[in-house]
Amino acid sequence: MAISELQLALIGVGAAAVAGVWGYNKWQERKHRQLAERILRGGGQTDVLLDATAAPKGVGATGDDAVIDSTQRVEPVFPPETEVEPLAADASDSPWADPLADGVGRLEFVEAVAAPALWAAQAEWAGHLAKPLNWVAQVGGEWRRLTAHDAGRYTVFLAAQQLADRRGAVSETELTVFAEGVRHLAAQLGGVATVPEVGTMLEQARALDEFCAGVDVQLSINIADPGGTAFAGTKLRGLAEAAGMKLDDDGRYHACDEQGETLYTLGNLGVELFEADSLGSLATHGVTLTLDVPNVGQGARVFDRMVVTARQFAQGLGGVLVDAQRAPLTDAMIAGIRAKIEEIQVRMEARQIVAGSARAHRLFS
């Protein structure tokens, strides 16, 4: 049967369409291959968060002359406490994508991606994560933490899944959701993602949580009347205000530093919280001053200040310093508490978690 001119035209159009699709796919393949090769070669701007050559001396090294292979990712190491070499407290310039506290995935794109598009894409799976997830974007030589309201466009992002906090270590399920979500997001927006193995992140999270649990201590000094007489709320308020403490929404008075960070707190030993409206009628048989050791820098000095405040309260209220069993607190016992604070904070610093630092605040929250 003879082929009509119309059939010949349709065949020609079909062949052209097939060739066009084939050409477009080859172009996309070449673009992504070039991007992947550039990332694997370590080309472009140095990533101070993930670049192995930027790791502090001692991380992954076996001696003074150890050489770090710059083509390999170096994960944080948790050696036995007796073998830890003190390292710099902050290995990165962004506390929101911290290789010690977070599992960090890197996403890179040829063309800049709008932050709202990334934010919408990650919302599909980020809601399944119980631990905090932070996003930062590279702007020149710095990293900017992203929020839902960021309208910028960026080519390099870091996704940081927090590995531990006071609730414990991140779960394997969460890490799987995080790793698969980051890879899917990169593919969805036309980029390439590099994410640590789930097993590696899980091992790091559990080691980190185990260490943090061992130093997560809150030390208190209690004040009570030896005869069992109650303290009046109005008297407590006057003493707290005279000491420069402020009543917070958590029902405790806070002593703060110049930046507004809490140094120690004053709370009720009874069940009632301190509230401005009810302090006038409050009567309590004891109060407690508490120092959150991992979250306060220079803990021994702050403890000394807290002891001075406790003695001022005891004198003003007619009470005495007592321990948790309401036994009198001696000078030797106070010295022992101070030594314990110093010991804990030295151990923390050896693990690159300086008490009172941004890293410590995240892990002990």
Side-chain angles (χ1 to χ4, degrees):
M1 183 175 65
I3 300 176
S4 68
E5 292 182 2
L6 176 61
Q7 288 173 318
L8 287 171
L10 291 173
I11 292 171
V13 169
V18 170
V21 170
W22 179 84
Y24 177 79
N25 287 339
K26 295 297 290 183
W27 175 78
Q28 286 277 28
E29 179 182 346
R30 180 171 177 269
K31 181 177 73 171
H32 290 299
R33 184 172 62 251
Q34 289 175 339
L35 174 58
E37 289 173 353
R38 193 174 80 215
I39 296 172
L40 292 173
R41 286 197 307 267
Q45 196 161 12
T46 301
D47 181 358
V48 297
L49 293 179
L50 300 179
D51 186 6
T53 60
K57 182 179 179 182
V59 177
T62 57
D64 292 339
D65 299 325
V67 177
I68 296 176
D69 182 357
S70 62
T71 65
Q72 296 181 352
R73 174 181 171 85
V74 178
E75 294 293 339
V77 178
F78 294 88
E81 290 184 42
T82 55
E83 301 177 7
V84 174
E85 292 184 17
L87 302 175
D90 294 311
S92 107
D93 60 357
S94 172
W96 304 107
D98 181 347
L100 189 147
D102 301 307
V104 181
R106 178 186 175 97
L107 300 87
E108 188 164 347
F109 302 88
V110 172
E111 300 177 357
V113 171
L118 179 137
W119 202 264
Q122 62 93 42
E124 298 176 4
W125 48 269
H128 298 285
L129 304 174
K131 294 280 188 288
L133 171 67
N134 287 290
W135 290 89
V136 298
Q138 194 170 36
V139 183
E142 299 180 352
W143 295 95
R144 174 184 298 168
R145 186 190 184 198
L146 302 183
T147 69
H149 306 293
D150 195 298
R153 300 178 67 88
Y154 313 96
T155 58
V156 180
F157 298 85
L158 298 180
Q161 172 63 59
Q162 188 162 324
L163 297 177
D165 55 25
R166 277 181 162 156
R167 295 171 295 170
V170 67
S171 69
E172 184 174 4
T173 300
E174 285 181 80
L175 288 173
T176 301
V177 170
F178 166 72
E180 293 181 355
V182 169
R183 294 189 185 104
H184 175 73
L185 185 151
Q188 181 182 353
L189 299 180
V192 174
T194 304
V195 187
E197 294 295 326
V198 169
T200 300
M201 291 189 288
L202 184 62
E203 182 180 358
Q204 179 181 340
R206 288 173 176 172
L208 180 62
D209 178 59
E210 182 180 0
F211 172 78
C212 289
V215 297
D216 192 1
V217 176
Q218 298 180 354
L219 296 173
S220 299
I221 295 177
N222 302 325
I223 305 167
D225 186 284
T229 302
F231 301 141
T234 51
K235 195 75 174 285
L236 285 170
R237 178 168 54 195
L239 289 168
E241 292 175 352
M245 304 181 78
K246 297 184 181 299
L247 184 59
D248 205 343
D249 293 337
D250 62 0
R252 297 177 294 173
Y253 278 95
H254 289 244
C256 300
D257 61 16
E258 293 79 4
Q259 288 73 44
E261 297 289 341
T262 296
L263 298 175
Y264 51 87
T265 62
L266 172 73
N268 188 5
L269 276 178
V271 295
E272 290 184 75
L273 298 176
F274 292 150
E275 296 180 352
D277 295 338
S278 59
L279 268 173
S281 58
L282 176 72
T284 180
H285 290 280
V287 293
T288 181
L289 287 155
T290 304
L291 188 150
D292 190 347
V293 177
N295 278 314
V296 177
Q298 298 183 322
R301 291 179 58 184
V302 174
F303 179 72
D304 290 341
R305 175 176 162 180
M306 189 175 85
V307 171
V308 171
T309 302
R311 285 176 169 151
Q312 290 172 343
F313 270 80
Q315 182 178 3
L317 295 170
V320 294
L321 307 186
V322 297
D323 61 15
Q325 286 71 43
R326 304 236 173 178
L329 201 60
T330 65
D331 289 344
M333 295 168 69
I334 291 173
I337 295 173
R338 189 184 195 279
K340 184 65 175 178
I341 293 171
E342 288 184 316
E343 175 198 335
I344 290 172
Q345 296 198 340
V346 167
R347 289 173 58 198
M348 290 179 62
E349 188 170 358
R351 288 297 185 100
Q352 307 173 58
I353 307 171
V354 177
S357 66
R359 177 179 285 166
H361 286 323
R362 292 185 61 205
L363 292 172
F364 296 94
S365 62

